[in-house]
Amino acid sequence: MMSPFIFRKVRQMRSRSFGRTGRSVGEIGFGAWAIGAAWGEVDDGESVAALHAALDAGVDFIDTADVYGDGHSERLIARVLKERGGVRPFVATKAGRRLPQQKVDGYSTENLSAWIERSLRNLETDALDLVQLHCPPTDAYYHPEIFERMERLVEQGKIRHYGVSVERVEEALKAIEYPGVVSVQLIFNMFRMRPSELFFRQAQERNVAIVARVPLASGLLSGKFARNTTFASDDHRQFNRHGEAFDVGETFSGVPYEVGLAAVEKIRPLVHGDATMAQLALRWILMFDAVTVVIPGARNPQQALGNIAAAALPPLSAEIMDAVARIYAEDIKPHVHLRW
């Protein structure tokens, strides 16, 4: 149970400008992949409660996708927002992973329009706040016509803004050359530091919002896993260990499981006071001004409130930041840095 003191502070969560959209959002949002599918058994009652708890605590940015549970995540969000009424939070969704194969020609006007119409129905809204191209193939970023099609959807009033969700820094750097791209979502955490080297500066110069996903490296950075931890067969941490279903970088941030466990034990002594390791990992991300919002997932109210409470932690010391950087350089960097 979160203390009243922490809860009060969470309600005053800092906001950050969401790029060129004219909107601001709280620096910790709600990642809705886990309430859709691919993270083991999902309880809709708990998922709905988690969303309500997050919104009650001041969260105003939700990230989902049309393929999370084949639209189930979007529909759950619509259900919660209908129950609550009032001002809607900023809801970002994604499009593109419904393709049977990731090919540039799949991002046609017809397909993009169909995906958008489906998300409009799922989210029960007349216009989508933000649509992110969902990790399209690298070559897609070199096809301006795809981004021109997104512009047409803005003109039609179907979407208010568009951005991209990427796997690689190369893709992020190319995407922000397009003036209509208002945001980039990418993996950034203690185990994936490369975006901070060049991309963050470039994004800030162009006033592009950054959405940091997989902030806990699929739970590794929660500090709760061990060598004998088991995952359900429908959990990507089991079925995508080697990239069998999608990019392996989405699972444990691409870090070999045992390597990640060893690095976590080196990070554990850096956790102080009443904070959890997960909260330390989230607060570490918030130390980077270029990050607009971080989107940890939550499948129950306790997880949601625990994530949000990270915003109440004081800034991390230079000693902690340096220690994390050393652990990354020595243990993690050889496995991930030049790959993504």
Side-chain angles (χ1 to χ4, degrees):
M1 186 95 172
M2 186 180 299
S3 74
F5 172 73
I6 290 290
F7 187 70
R8 258 195 323 272
K9 295 194 76 173
V10 168
R11 291 186 68 85
Q12 299 169 6
M13 181 165 51
R14 293 173 292 273
S15 290
R16 303 189 183 197
S17 296
F18 200 87
R20 302 186 301 274
T21 65
R23 296 188 65 164
S24 293
V25 299
E27 58 191 359
I28 293 183
F30 188 101
W33 181 14
I35 67 171
W39 290 79
E41 184 178 353
V42 178
D43 183 301
D44 284 354
E46 285 281 84
S47 298
V48 166
L51 278 164
H52 276 299
L55 294 166
D56 286 342
V59 164
D60 58 6
F61 183 89
I62 302 173
D63 177 84
T64 184
D66 59 356
V67 291
Y68 294 167
D70 195 22
H72 187 64
S73 175
E74 289 180 326
R75 292 188 291 272
L76 276 180
I77 292 165
R79 170 183 161 184
V80 168
L81 298 186
K82 180 182 288 186
E83 289 174 358
R84 299 178 67 85
V87 178
R88 289 171 67 96
F90 193 128
V91 180
T93 191
K94 308 183 193 76
R97 300 304 291 186
R98 299 188 67 75
L99 288 171
Q101 288 185 303
Q102 282 294 308
K103 295 182 178 179
V104 170
D105 59 10
Y107 288 80
S108 63
T109 298
E110 293 75 18
N111 282 343
L112 286 166
S113 296
W115 298 331
I116 298 310
E117 291 294 341
R118 187 174 184 273
S119 287
L120 286 167
R121 292 192 299 271
N122 283 344
L123 286 164
E124 299 182 33
T125 185
D126 296 327
L128 300 170
D129 292 328
L130 175 70
V131 174
Q132 303 154 100
L133 297 179
H134 198 174
C135 298
T138 301
D139 194 38
Y141 298 94
Y142 296 85
H143 283 262
E145 67 273 15
I146 294 175
F147 297 87
E148 291 167 4
R149 290 164 190 154
M150 297 301 287
E151 291 287 347
R152 302 293 84 76
L153 288 164
V154 173
E155 293 170 0
Q156 294 166 19
K158 300 291 185 180
I159 62 178
R160 295 187 176 93
H161 307 284
Y162 67 92
V164 295
S165 181
V166 306
E167 296 289 4
R168 299 177 174 85
V169 170
E170 167 199 349
E171 297 165 346
L173 289 167
K174 182 62 182 176
I176 62 175
E177 293 182 9
Y178 295 99
V181 171
V182 302
S183 66
V184 171
Q185 180 178 141
L186 78 178
I187 297 174
F188 181 64
N189 58 48
M190 289 178 172
F191 286 173
R192 286 282 286 275
M193 296 192 189
R194 189 179 181 190
S196 65
E197 290 186 345
L198 172 63
F199 173 67
F200 279 10
R201 183 172 68 254
Q202 295 284 334
Q204 284 181 301
E205 290 175 357
R206 296 172 187 262
N207 197 15
V208 172
I210 294 175
V211 181
R213 77 171 183 273
V214 194
L216 302 181
S218 306
L220 261 179
L221 288 167
S222 72
K224 296 179 179 179
F225 298 163
R227 287 181 178 274
N228 61 353
T229 299
T230 59
F231 301 95
S233 61
D234 58 347
D235 188 321
H236 74 100
R237 293 170 294 188
Q238 176 65 34
F239 69 73
N240 197 57
R241 285 281 183 101
H242 306 288
E244 296 91 335
F246 42 80
D247 193 291
V248 70
E250 299 285 348
T251 301
F252 302 129
S253 296
V255 178
Y257 186 64
E258 292 75 13
V259 171
L261 288 176
V264 162
E265 292 312 308
K266 294 184 179 182
I267 295 171
R268 198 180 298 278
L270 304 177
V271 182
H272 300 300
D274 295 330
T276 65
M277 183 175 290
Q279 289 166 346
L280 175 74
L282 293 172
R283 189 65 184 89
W284 181 88
I285 294 171
L286 297 179
M287 293 295 290
F288 294 81
D289 292 339
V291 172
T292 307
V293 58
V294 57
I295 52 168
R299 294 194 291 181
N300 58 59
Q302 293 73 28
Q303 289 178 357
L305 295 178
N307 291 337
I308 298 162
L313 296 179
L316 303 184
S317 67
E319 290 76 15
I320 289 177
M321 296 299 289
D322 289 345
V324 173
R326 285 195 301 273
I327 294 166
Y328 175 78
E330 294 170 3
D331 298 349
I332 304 298
K333 187 175 182 177
H335 298 278
V336 301
H337 199 77
L338 296 180
R339 187 168 181 180
W340 291 282

